[in-house]
Amino acid sequence: MSARSLPVRTLRSRMGAVVRRARTVSLPTVDVVVVVEPVDRPRLDAALRSVSGQGYAHVTVRVSPVTDAEPTWQAAANTGVAAGRGDFVVLLRGCDLLAPDAIRLMVESLTASGSVLCSGRLDQAGAPEPWLLRAQGRGHAVARTAHPSGGGVHLPLDLTLGGTMIRRSAWTALEPDEDWLLSTGVARLLAGPGTADLLVEPTYTWFPDHGTRAYGATPSALPELDDRAARMERIRDLLGEGRLAERWRRTVAGFEVPRLLQDAERADADEWRRLREVTTAVTGQDRWWVGVGAAARALLWLATEDRRADLELVAAEIAALGEDLRTVRRGAAVLAEWPVTDLPEEIRELPRTETGLLTRVSRVGPPGPDRRAELLLAIDHVDLADPQTRIVVRDARGEAVDLEPIDPAEASRWFGRRFQAATAVSVRVPGARATRLQITVSVGELTRSGRAHLPARVPRLTSRVVVEDLSVDGGALVVTGTGDLGLVRVLGRGDVVVATPTELGDGQVRIDLSADLFGELAALAPGSYRVVAGADNVAVTEQLRGRLPEVQLGSRHRVRAHLGPRGGLVIELGAPLTDDELGPYAQQRLQSAYAVTDRPVDPDLFYFESYAGRTATDSPRAIFEELRRRRPDVRVRWGIADAGQRAPDGATPVLIRSREWYDVLAGAGVIVMNTDTEVWFRRRPGQVLLQTFHGYPSKAMGRSQWEAKDYPPSLVREFRARGVDTWSAILTPTPEMTRHYREQYDYDGPAFEQGYPRDDDLTAPGADARRDLVRSLLGIGADQTAVLYAPTWRDHLASRPRLAAMTEHLDLAQAATELGPGFVVLLRGHRFHRPPPVRGAARVVDVTAYPEINDLILASDAAVLDYSSLRFDFALTGRPMVFLVPDLEEYGAGSRQFLFPFEDSAPGPFVDDTAGVVAALRDPGLAAEWGPRIAAFNARYQPYQDGRASERVVDALLELVERSSG
């Protein structure tokens, strides 16, 4: 039974019985108490798997539910802990995850140190809270050893005991009603002589709002202002004086209060007064700014001065830039540049902790008298492109070594700052055994020092293939070496073979970096690939190892070759951008140049883009085809994200993020796209931008979605700036749907209400022939029923932008088995999905990467859908749909609320599970029962989908262009 369906009594029966393994007397035992609230049950299975998969055998897991008898999280935790006898205790919420090997790492640390608790880095699922990232520091570079309680232990104080390991003897010292989930419990444990260990490794993944928070949501912390303030005061009182108290003071000044001030724009008058009181308690202390970061100092000072409007400007800048910061160097000081110019210099100055020297050994040549190493160097928040930059490198004896500057592009990409460049040097390594270098970097009067450790020599790997050289020729990888080169393979995700030698010569093989994509040859997608020899890693010569990592630019890929963590060779394939186009620093320079570019736009230059360049489809493609038929003289550039994408015939591709792309955006007279522009984009005078959108408007958008995600006013302004403020016209299916866009976006501009061009192909005369062709390509027999399964994404399952786990409501293997050989299931993940591999389901075809959704609609005989607007497109075929919607109430109450009742716009049976899907699809009366309702649905929602929408839209677009240019 799935944990999501477990009643409380069943949870009780599983207490202490989930995982129990043989124990060895010599090793400490660990009790993991999993505290489960009702909202946690959908994620409980994953939480338990994260424990059972640990690399430590002496673990007992106890599931402790929150019930009427134990009505609070803390009461349930106390009950679970009291029932155990383990030497150490770990708390885990039923919605969160322990990191792999977290228990072993914490046990080893506590056993060696004798500390009372141990914690590692906290990873946040979804979009990490910016102040959490600031609190953990860049790289979280703390040694994995025991630390005195005064040495870097502010994180356990600031966060929770979830995922922290404590000694059972320490737990018994807590008061029965102690809120030991929060910081006060940690403070009590450490108020005495106890110490804590802080690991560099992650130990815990935290799911905000129990895993129900939509990706990118920004709920306000202000409703908890009084509780947070009280907690900060209680911890201060518990810690008293000493190094740990000083560490907590810095935590309050550097993270706790600034994260509240960051939200000041949403504060009412009383909350602003309370924020100032909390701030004054911090800034009233002597030298309160010592050890506090520049962003926090600026917010605290402005709040103390009651400059709310200026504080909101600075807070918006911090939110927009993240870890980036505009700075200026003045003598030996580095000063932050804020939109408020009169902040005192001591407030603007960055402490040394924020301007440290960062070093990286990029590559080390083979042993010999001329052995050299390449070093990447950066001073955080300092621009080393300054001509006053000087570098001195000394060996372990303190003697200066020869060095020469080299191209800094790689260093700036590694550094990853938007406004500051890094630098790089090549140094002669003195002696074969030298492992440590002392480095000093000066910029004017500013000087920072640090060390670089040369890596130990890697034992030479033996293999049937030894690679002597790698090169890129056009779209192919050329491998030169010795041994059986015919064994060379390129492996992709899941160690699947994606490329083999296409030409074999004397001591050399050529591997085409492309693969068959549903009958067409396409460049391999960006990502990481392994180069192997059969089932083994390849070996590399000393000379080649000394060149790695190495970057080469081909016609279709930027190829970065390096040694993999498992040995052997790894190639990273990316879009073929040049050094001056790749990375935050290069992109910032291109965006700055774009912003000041001022030239007349070319009305005969059209730019098209679909899904941020990931595929040429949807309404932009249909509009282009009609435009090309009517105006073959028009020059068209089509934005592609990488060389694996193709521009339609008649359009010239332009690589997104390239220098040429910025020039096209600055000069195109007409822009047609189906997603929002970037925040830096500005529509030039005379430029026309048609926003086509990419789905029938049925779910929350604009104001509704911004409110559902708790966006503050500054973030709403940003979304408007990259959305509605750029539109010259919008595309909608009907006048009724236009009303929703006008209401949700406060939009009053032109609207093309002639239907969706993307759907013309679904009702075109050649649709049947296209259906037969696609079914043949996919291997679907004439007597088989093809079922398109296309679940939409859930934003609370997203881990980063444009990536989310796929819902598991349908068991694909079970469905394929029960449907039998007469059915084929076409799995179409959302473009934000990475579908899991389907095992044991021979009649399931993963068509997520298939470039054209209309082909799949035409090839299918039925569809299993949920809340996707795909139901509107599929309905045009008249074929039946089944709606798998067990989470209908939950989904409708989330950030994607419905614009109109879902039940009225989903013409098909609603089912809750795999059995319901199978029963509906096997029902011989499904099509006959729902056919009339689908026809009525189309008449109501899609009256203009007659196959000629493209013609009408191009008419309207050309008319708008003529008016704009005149």
Side-chain angles (χ1 to χ4, degrees):
M1 178 183 292
S2 171
R4 66 173 57 91
S5 61
L6 287 172
V8 170
R9 62 178 180 276
T10 307
L11 289 174
R12 285 179 179 277
S13 70
R14 292 177 64 174
M15 288 174 60
V18 177
V19 179
R20 190 181 295 276
R21 297 175 176 172
R23 295 179 176 176
T24 304
V25 175
S26 60
L27 292 176
T29 57
V30 179
D31 289 331
V32 178
V33 178
V34 184
V35 182
V36 185
E37 299 180 62
V39 70
D40 295 332
R41 292 178 193 172
R43 302 199 56 84
L44 178 58
D45 281 343
L48 296 177
R49 286 195 299 269
S50 77
V51 181
S52 62
Q54 293 289 309
Y56 191 80
H58 311 283
V59 176
T60 297
V61 178
R62 300 181 181 277
V63 176
S64 190
V66 174
T67 65
D68 292 340
E70 291 92 16
T72 66
W73 201 101
Q74 183 227 332
N78 284 335
T79 298
V81 175
R85 292 187 174 85
D87 300 304
F88 300 123
V89 176
V90 173
L91 286 184
L92 178 68
R93 297 193 308 169
C95 58
D96 295 339
L97 305 174
L98 282 179
D101 221 21
I103 290 179
R104 180 185 64 81
L105 292 171
M106 290 191 288
V107 167
E108 289 178 353
S109 185
L110 288 178
T111 301
S113 69
S115 296
V116 298
L117 65 85
C118 180
S119 182
R121 191 177 74 243
L122 179 77
D123 287 341
Q124 179 175 330
E129 182 182 350
W131 287 97
L132 171 62
L133 296 178
R134 293 177 186 275
Q136 297 196 135
R138 185 170 183 174
H140 196 52
V142 183
R144 189 179 59 78
T145 55
H147 278 272
S149 57
V153 73
H154 61 281
L155 279 179
L157 293 174
D158 186 43
L159 304 174
T160 74
L161 272 173
T164 295
M165 181 176 288
I166 69 170
R167 293 184 180 276
R168 177 171 292 277
S169 58
W171 171 79
T172 59
L174 292 171
E175 298 178 1
D177 61 345
E178 184 73 70
D179 188 2
W180 71 305
L181 171 64
L182 296 176
S183 312
T184 50
V186 182
R188 182 176 294 280
L189 290 174
L190 296 178
T195 60
D197 297 352
L198 182 59
L199 312 185
V200 298
E201 294 90 343
T203 57
Y204 196 71
T205 300
W206 166 54
F207 285 79
D209 295 338
H210 299 265
T212 64
R213 179 184 296 181
Y215 185 86
T218 56
S220 174
L222 295 179
E224 304 171 3
L225 174 57
D226 288 337
D227 289 342
R228 287 177 181 248
R231 179 167 62 91
M232 287 186 279
E233 292 177 7
R234 185 178 181 192
I235 293 172
R236 182 197 62 198
D237 294 341
L238 283 169
L239 295 178
E241 302 293 336
R243 295 178 63 193
L244 187 57
E246 171 62 17
R247 179 67 66 175
W248 176 241
R249 181 197 69 77
R250 295 185 183 182
T251 297
V252 171
F255 309 115
E256 288 281 359
V257 176
R259 75 203 295 188
L260 296 170
L261 293 174
Q262 182 75 43
D263 208 26
E265 63 180 315
R266 290 191 274 195
D268 59 27
D270 288 339
E271 288 169 333
W272 174 246
R273 176 187 54 78
R274 186 72 176 107
L275 277 172
R276 292 197 63 232
E277 291 174 354
V278 172
T279 302
T280 303
V282 172
T283 58
Q285 303 176 48
D286 291 339
R287 295 175 57 79
W288 61 267
W289 59 84
V290 175
V292 178
R297 289 203 312 275
L299 295 175
L300 291 165
W301 187 83
L302 288 168
T304 302
E305 297 294 311
D306 198 19
R307 293 171 55 173
R308 179 171 180 174
D310 289 339
L311 183 146
E312 292 179 12
L313 283 176
V314 171
E317 174 105 332
I318 293 170
L321 298 183
E323 292 302 295
D324 284 304
L325 186 63
R326 293 184 175 91
T327 62
V328 62
R329 184 179 53 80
R330 184 171 299 163
V334 181
L335 306 179
E337 289 192 303
W338 298 114
V340 178
T341 60
D342 62 342
L343 271 67
E345 189 163 306
E346 65 267 22
I347 299 300
R348 295 174 56 205
E349 184 174 353
L350 274 65
R352 292 183 69 93
T353 54
E354 290 190 86
T355 58
L357 178 64
L358 307 174
T359 67
R360 181 177 181 176
V361 179
S362 177
R363 51 188 65 84
V364 181
D370 295 323
R371 187 185 188 203
R372 302 193 71 85
E374 294 183 7
L375 308 178
L376 311 183
L377 308 172
I379 298 178
D380 216 359
H381 298 301
V382 176
D383 189 358
L384 296 189
D386 192 311
Q388 298 186 60
T389 300
R390 304 180 307 280
I391 301 167
V392 176
V393 180
R394 301 182 184 277
D395 62 19
R397 295 170 297 181
E399 297 180 359
V401 300
D402 294 335
L403 61 84
E404 59 185 39
I406 56 177
D407 188 344
E410 179 186 2
S412 292
R413 289 193 299 274
W414 156 73
F415 185 34
R417 295 296 191 194
R418 291 169 58 181
F419 305 109
Q420 297 91 25
T423 192
V425 295
S426 172
V427 300
R428 182 176 176 275
V429 179
R433 296 184 178 181
T435 59
R436 188 180 66 189
L437 299 173
Q438 182 70 31
I439 302 167
T440 300
V441 178
S442 300
V443 188
E445 300 173 37
L446 175 72
T447 299
R448 295 290 185 268
S449 298
R451 293 177 177 178
H453 295 266
L454 303 185
R457 289 188 60 187
V458 179
R460 185 167 183 174
L461 184 69
T462 59
S463 172
R464 288 177 286 179
V465 171
V466 178
V467 178
E468 299 173 344
D469 186 49
L470 285 177
S471 61
V472 178
D473 182 15
L477 180 71
V478 180
V479 180
T480 303
T482 58
D484 189 354
L485 294 177
L487 294 174
V488 174
R489 302 286 186 270
V490 176
L491 305 183
R493 182 169 172 250
D495 282 350
V496 175
V497 176
V498 296
T500 58
T502 54
E503 297 178 22
L504 181 61
D506 185 18
Q508 194 174 81
V509 291
R510 182 183 178 90
I511 303 174
D512 190 20
L513 296 177
S514 61
D516 180 85
L517 182 64
F518 299 102
E520 293 189 7
L521 203 61
L524 290 179
S528 180
Y529 298 84
R530 295 174 59 214
V531 180
V532 299
D536 304 321
N537 282 318
V538 298
V540 298
T541 62
E542 289 276 5
Q543 287 72 23
L544 178 57
R545 181 181 291 121
R547 286 167 33 201
L548 300 178
E550 185 174 56
V551 174
Q552 297 189 44
L553 201 62
S555 60
R556 296 183 296 184
H557 294 105
R558 183 184 179 93
V559 182
R560 181 178 185 270
H562 62 92
L563 295 176
R566 291 185 282 175
L569 276 174
V570 173
I571 56 172
E572 308 283 345
L573 302 183
L577 296 167
T578 59
D579 281 347
D580 63 351
E581 297 170 336
L582 190 65
Y585 183 73
Q587 285 293 299
Q588 180 62 40
R589 289 168 65 88
L590 292 173
Q591 289 161 21
S592 298
Y594 164 86
V596 300
T597 299
D598 191 12
R599 63 176 181 234
V601 298
D602 183 349
D604 291 326
L605 176 60
F606 282 59
Y607 173 77
F608 283 79
E609 182 182 302
S610 173
Y611 296 119
R614 289 187 296 278
T615 181
T617 183
D618 204 64
S619 287
R621 174 67 176 261
I623 293 170
F624 161 75
E625 298 289 0
E626 174 62 20
L627 178 69
R628 182 190 178 205
R629 183 188 67 79
R630 198 180 305 186
R631 289 277 308 275
D633 60 303
V634 168
R635 291 178 295 114
V636 175
R637 305 302 303 273
W638 194 288
I640 59 171
D642 58 77
Q645 311 304 322
R646 291 185 176 179
D649 291 341
T652 303
V654 57
L655 187 61
I656 290 176
R657 295 188 297 139
S658 68
R659 183 181 301 276
E660 183 183 19
W661 178 66
Y662 284 100
D663 289 341
V664 169
L665 286 179
V670 182
I671 296 175
V672 180
M673 59 199 314
N674 67 354
T675 55
D676 283 343
T677 63
E678 299 290 342
V679 68
W680 44 262
F681 174 85
R682 65 181 179 92
R683 180 159 56 91
R684 312 300 173 101
Q687 205 168 43
V688 171
L689 189 148
L690 172 61
Q691 174 56 255
T692 71
F693 306 106
H694 54 265
Y696 200 100
S698 61
K699 291 179 286 190
M701 57 185 178
R703 183 187 299 113
S704 295
Q705 190 172 26
W706 300 333
E707 291 176 355
K709 288 193 173 186
D710 293 311
Y711 285 171
S714 59
L715 192 55
V716 170
R717 289 193 296 271
E718 177 183 321
F719 272 83
R720 287 190 62 87
R722 50 187 300 209
V724 61
D725 291 349
T726 70
W727 302 340
S728 303
I730 63 173
L731 180 63
T732 75
T734 67
E736 181 182 5
M737 293 302 108
T738 302
R739 176 176 58 83
H740 290 294
Y741 284 106
R742 296 200 186 282
E743 290 175 352
Q744 296 299 323
Y745 290 101
D746 297 323
Y747 174 71
D748 59 2
F752 302 164
E753 305 163 322
Q754 292 89 356
Y756 282 140
R758 70 161 186 253
D759 287 335
D760 285 351
D761 286 347
L762 297 177
T763 56
D768 289 341
R770 186 64 185 172
R771 166 182 164 87
D772 294 340
L773 178 63
V774 176
R775 286 173 68 93
S776 175
L777 179 65
L778 298 177
I780 303 169
D783 59 343
Q784 287 183 305
T785 298
V787 179
L788 178 61
Y789 173 50
T792 192
W793 76 302
R794 271 70 170 169
D795 52 6
H796 71 282
L797 297 180
S799 55
R800 62 177 185 264
R802 300 192 178 109
L803 182 63
M806 180 180 280
T807 176
E808 299 179 357
H809 293 150
L810 181 66
D811 187 323
L812 284 161
Q814 178 186 339
T817 299
E818 294 184 6
L819 286 171
F823 286 79
V824 174
V825 178
L826 305 179
L827 168 61
R828 176 68 169 193
H830 190 276
R831 69 184 189 283
F832 293 172
H833 281 157
R834 179 178 288 172
V838 182
R839 298 181 175 88
R843 291 179 300 278
V844 175
V845 181
D846 187 350
V847 292
T848 301
Y850 192 95
E852 181 51 66
I853 186 63
N854 279 354
D855 285 357
L856 302 178
I857 293 174
L858 291 172
S860 301
D861 301 289
V864 177
L865 307 173
D866 46 22
Y867 314 109
S868 170
S869 63
L870 185 62
R871 66 189 187 274
F872 293 89
D873 310 282
F874 197 89
L876 293 171
T877 68
R879 297 172 190 139
M881 294 174 282
V882 177
F883 293 94
L884 179 59
V885 289
D887 57 345
L888 175 57
E889 183 176 351
E890 173 187 335
Y891 189 91
S895 66
R896 301 309 310 272
Q897 302 164 13
F898 302 114
L899 293 175
F900 40 85
F902 176 76
E903 294 82 354
D904 295 345
S905 64
F910 288 15
V911 298
D912 292 332
D913 52 25
T914 302
V917 168
V918 171
L921 291 174
R922 299 191 63 150
D923 180 0
L926 179 65
E929 177 183 355
W930 288 95
R933 297 190 226 185
I934 292 174
F937 168 87
N938 285 331
R940 176 181 178 184
Y941 288 101
Q942 311 191 97
Y944 301 113
Q945 298 303 159
D946 56 0
R948 303 186 64 182
S950 297
E951 298 177 23
R952 294 188 292 269
V953 169
V954 170
D955 285 341
L957 176 60
L958 293 178
E959 181 181 345
L960 179 61
V961 171
E962 184 177 353
R963 290 202 309 267
S964 299
S965 60

